[in-house]
Amino acid sequence: MSSAFEAVIGLEVHAQLLTRTKLFCPAEARFTDVPNTHIGPVTLGLPGALPAVNEVAIRLAVMAGLALGCDVQRDSIFARKHYFYPDLPKGYQISQFDRPLNVGGHVDIEVSGQRKRVTLERIHVEEDAAKNLHGVGSASLSHIDFNRAGIPLIEIVSNPDMASSEEAEAYLRALREILMFAGVNDGNLEEGSFRCDANVSIRPVGSKTLGTRTELKNINSFRFVRKAIDYEIARQESVIVSGGQVVQETRSWNENEQKTVAMRSKEFAHDYRYFPDPDLPPLVVDEALLSRARAALPELPEALRTRWKSVFGLSDYDAGVLSAHPGLARFFESTLAHAADESARAEAAKPVANYLQSEVLREVSYDGLSAHFPVTPEALFELVSLVMSGELSSKLAKQVYAELLAKGGSPKAIVAAQGLSQISDRSEILAVVQAILAANPDKVAAYRQGKLGLKGFFVGQAMQRTDGRANPQALGEVLDAELAGDPA
Ligand code: ADP
Ligand code: MG
């Protein structure tokens, strides 16, 4: 973008709440199963079916509000939002309009070292629509999967506080992280349980009024979000620079053509005819619900990183990597929980953090840690402790780790069964060294005449004879002392 204009971006995020059942009925909230297996009278909007609100969904929505610093409303109202589309059997979506559950709030971001607070307008609760499947099976047919209809969502509406695609991405990442750590949402962009629409406009630098915006859809990855926003900023600028006017419309990111294309313009904008849903009473958040939500809210990522840095002395980088996913963060914490006391925990933190990054995350993605990962936090702690105490060389630790990955079990048991423990006993090392020197008198003489590079040969011999178990430091010292000895 040229320096004459600045971009203004506001994001609307739909996040599915992690409930077992739907927002207004007992059907299971599982949208990736065989189509139309989790449905019922309420889901299908059959005449006479009445909604009853899922309290767990409301608790999760309140937790989201608390986690994001919103003003949680004691009274809010469900409203009907009308439109006609096959994915909406009732002819309206139950949402919230002028009295949402959560008002205000904020997400703090950092872009190239600059911290910035993005403020929120609101977070409201609503039901998801069904999913239209076009051209599945036959190109000429469309199908509707009602499994998704009625799954609880929160819509997080930001104020137009962002000024670049980088800020928009940072906002989305931070928001997703908070919702995942709060246990409210699984953060899955590809499957669509965390979806974003981006509103983009530009205005002359220094102007205080907002320009006409377009709303971008179909941006289900961080990369698409960035590319679609950048494209749109450039497109709007070229429209204005060539004397035209930006049209308020909804546009869709087309990944194949690397551009946004118009979907519907304002002329076709919906009149949703919102009104309070007469089937539902006002949504009341009482003190009991509020305190349950507070109690259920775990430590959030920012607080976690601050604590890890101050208590464990982790670097910004390590704290960032280990808090990339709640599953990984929990694994790290549970591993350290096996330390005997606070000081042992602090001492083990850095080695455990290193081991997780260098070995564990090499083979398993961080969200795989929660599922069927065979290495338990207890086993990892034991393994790292064996290395820290010098009982196991880091090289042999890898062997033990591979065994743990393959079969699970306890590192101590594996070390004992395979005879892998490190030899630190100097008299044992001395015997090995003396035998090697005695077998290689010519090399000993050459070393003593200045061919110091031969030390590597002696170390190699000693490691070979001990199956790599000699403590490298002790071996080096014993070897130096023996090689320095008087030539006989
Ligand atoms: P709607 O109800 O049509 O979606 P809203 O006024 O609720 O419209 O705004 C939706 C989103 O669009 C919000 O995130 C808001 O910050 C953003 N937004 C509103 N006006 C602009 C603008 N001129 N430029 C960029 N974003 C905007
Ligand atoms: Mg909108």
Side-chain angles (χ1 to χ4, degrees), residues 8-12 157-160 199-201 210-211 213 215:
V8 175
I9 300 159
L11 300 180
E12 296 165 281
V157 183
S158 86
N159 286 314
N199 296 271
V200 179
S201 65
L210 292 172
R213 71 182 149 118
E215 182 169 345

Side-chain angles (χ1 to χ4, degrees), residues 56-341:
V56 177
I58 303 308
R59 174 160 45 81
L60 292 173
V62 169
M63 285 166 68
L66 294 173
L68 292 162
C70 303
D71 192 358
V72 179
Q73 304 297 295
R74 293 310 193 90
D75 281 288
S76 66
I77 301 287
F78 282 112
R80 293 184 177 182
K81 177 182 181 179
H82 297 83
Y83 62 92
F84 179 76
Y85 205 61
D87 66 12
L88 198 69
K90 295 194 293 295
Y92 60 86
Q93 175 192 28
I94 304 178
S95 179
Q96 296 192 296
F97 181 52
D98 52 353
R99 294 185 54 193
L101 174 65
N102 298 303
V103 175
H106 54 81
V107 174
D108 292 327
I109 60 171
E110 194 175 316
V111 172
S112 14
Q114 285 283 106
R115 283 184 75 85
K116 175 169 180 173
R117 173 158 286 189
V118 176
T119 62
L120 303 181
E121 181 189 315
R122 57 195 265 147
I123 301 178
H124 61 258
V125 183
E126 63 185 26
E127 57 178 345
D128 209 343
K131 195 173 171 65
N132 296 310
L133 306 166
H134 302 296
V136 177
S138 156
S140 61
L141 290 180
S142 289
H143 297 82
I144 307 174
D145 177 7
F146 287 97
N147 284 353
R148 204 178 68 178
I151 288 183
L153 301 176
I154 45 174
E155 179 173 345
I156 302 117
V157 183
S158 86
N159 286 314
D161 285 355
M162 288 153 279
S164 66
S165 62
E166 289 80 14
E167 288 186 5
E169 180 181 2
Y171 166 83
L172 284 177
R173 286 190 186 275
L175 174 64
R176 173 174 175 269
E177 191 181 80
I178 291 169
L179 295 179
M180 285 169 73
F181 272 77
V184 161
N185 176 252
D186 68 10
N188 196 325
L189 274 75
E190 292 99 72
E191 284 183 0
S193 46
F194 181 95
R195 339 189 253 273
C196 164
D197 298 335
N199 296 271
V200 179
S201 65
I202 63 171
R203 62 183 173 191
V205 170
S207 162
K208 286 285 162 248
T209 49
L210 292 172
T212 304
R213 71 182 149 118
T214 58
E215 182 169 345
L216 308 181
K217 297 202 177 278
N218 196 30
I219 41 181
N220 53 356
S221 79
F222 291 116
R223 212 159 48 86
F224 290 4
V225 167
R226 248 186 357 253
K227 288 200 288 186
I229 291 175
D230 284 337
Y231 177 88
E232 190 56 20
I233 293 171
R235 188 192 68 83
Q236 290 184 12
E237 186 180 356
S238 72
V239 167
I240 291 174
V241 166
S242 62
Q245 278 187 337
V246 173
V247 180
Q248 180 169 348
E249 62 188 359
T250 303
R251 300 178 68 87
S252 174
W253 174 247
N254 185 321
E255 174 63 12
N256 288 334
E257 297 182 26
Q258 296 287 302
K259 63 182 194 184
T260 63
V261 286
M263 286 171 74
R264 52 174 186 257
S265 74
K266 202 187 174 188
E267 291 144 76
F268 301 103
H270 299 287
D271 172 6
Y272 293 123
R273 293 172 294 127
Y274 279 102
F275 65 79
D277 192 315
D279 289 342
L280 288 159
L283 177 59
V284 176
V285 175
D286 59 14
E287 195 51 54
L289 175 56
L290 208 51
S291 57
R292 272 205 302 285
R294 276 203 197 95
L297 200 63
E299 193 175 16
L300 295 173
E302 194 64 50
L304 200 65
R305 285 191 284 267
T306 306
R307 179 166 60 81
W308 286 349
K309 285 189 280 185
S310 71
V311 178
F312 297 154
L314 289 195
S315 65
D316 268 333
Y317 179 83
D318 286 351
V321 172
L322 296 176
S323 64
H325 190 278
L328 175 58
R330 267 196 301 274
F331 195 90
F332 176 59
E333 295 251 298
S334 337
T335 302
L336 291 179
H338 291 279
D341 55 32

Side-chain angles (χ1 to χ4, degrees), residues 29-40:
R30 286 168 44 175
F31 65 102
T32 52
D33 282 359
V34 175
N36 297 314
T37 50
H38 304 304
I39 58 175

